[in-house]
Amino acid sequence: CNLARLAWKEIADATKRPEDDAEYKRIRDLFVKEFPGHPEHSDQAFGIARELFAKGQYEQAAQQLADIPTSSRNYWQAQRMVPGCYRQLAIDEKDPAKAKSWHEKALAAAQNLTATAAKGTADDPQVASSRQTGDLYAAFSLASLVKWPEALAAIDAYLSRYGDPLIQRGAEF
């Protein structure tokens, strides 16, 4: 199944035909379903999530990314993408009540990322990057939710912890 997946990926990429792409996706999904313990499963699941993100299917991408196992080499990168998926859904949403709900999900995902990274090894660059990303998305989400005192406290904490010159110059929320 894995060889078929790899072969159909090459065919789909080379031909750019919709039917070849559909066959690749069918076999890819079968591989993920039938071989969840395979070492390439998490890489494949991460690839699927990135494809969903690239197509603007942010909710499905967030769900796929959140399910990447901690044993995966893509775990921290996947978790860093989750708050961004929800933030993009909020930005794209026209209904203010639904946008608020997406911002709340982005905040929860950012806080979860920060909390999970805080339990990790401090000298691991993936962990450090994840904590910083979580802190930044939390600040953005709080500002988007018009929770100004909490947003300003989060930004102050972020700047004192990381000293990010982009934020110091005034990044747009």
Side-chain angles (χ1 to χ4, degrees):
C1 189
N2 192 33
L3 290 176
R5 176 185 62 85
L6 295 172
W8 275 105
K9 175 70 174 150
E10 285 186 31
I11 292 167
D13 287 347
T15 65
K16 308 282 190 231
R17 293 179 350 162
E19 57 270 19
D20 292 338
D21 190 54
E23 182 63 12
Y24 157 67
K25 288 177 181 174
R26 186 188 71 74
I27 291 173
R28 174 200 67 194
D29 293 346
L30 178 64
F31 172 74
V32 170
K33 180 182 173 190
E34 295 294 322
F35 302 100
H38 193 282
E40 290 184 22
H41 171 68
S42 63
D43 290 345
Q44 188 63 30
F46 183 67
I48 292 168
R50 289 179 57 133
E51 288 175 20
L52 291 166
F53 186 90
K55 292 178 180 177
Q57 297 174 345
Y58 304 114
E59 185 173 11
Q60 297 91 331
Q63 292 166 352
Q64 183 83 17
L65 291 162
D67 288 340
I68 300 292
T70 56
S71 60
S72 170
R73 64 184 175 147
N74 296 309
Y75 174 74
W76 287 111
Q77 185 178 1
Q79 300 318 300
R80 286 192 301 270
M81 291 177 69
V82 174
C85 290
Y86 291 128
R87 182 163 171 73
Q88 193 59 53
L89 284 161
I91 290 167
D92 293 348
E93 182 59 58
K94 303 298 182 221
D95 179 348
K98 289 180 182 176
K100 180 182 179 193
S101 176
W102 288 123
H103 280 301
E104 289 168 347
K105 284 189 178 219
L107 176 60
Q111 290 170 331
N112 182 58
L113 176 60
T114 299
T116 303
K119 296 174 192 171
T121 307
D123 61 347
D124 181 341
Q126 291 288 328
V127 171
S129 176
S130 296
R131 184 169 182 177
Q132 184 174 1
T133 300
D135 288 347
L136 186 60
Y137 272 118
F140 285 165
S141 296
L142 288 164
S144 296
L145 290 165
V146 193
K147 295 184 176 187
W148 296 118
E150 296 96 330
L152 292 172
I155 292 167
D156 284 344
Y158 181 90
L159 291 174
S160 65
R161 189 174 295 128
Y162 308 109
D164 192 320
L166 177 65
I167 297 291
Q168 290 171 341
R169 289 193 309 262
E172 292 183 26
F173 288 107

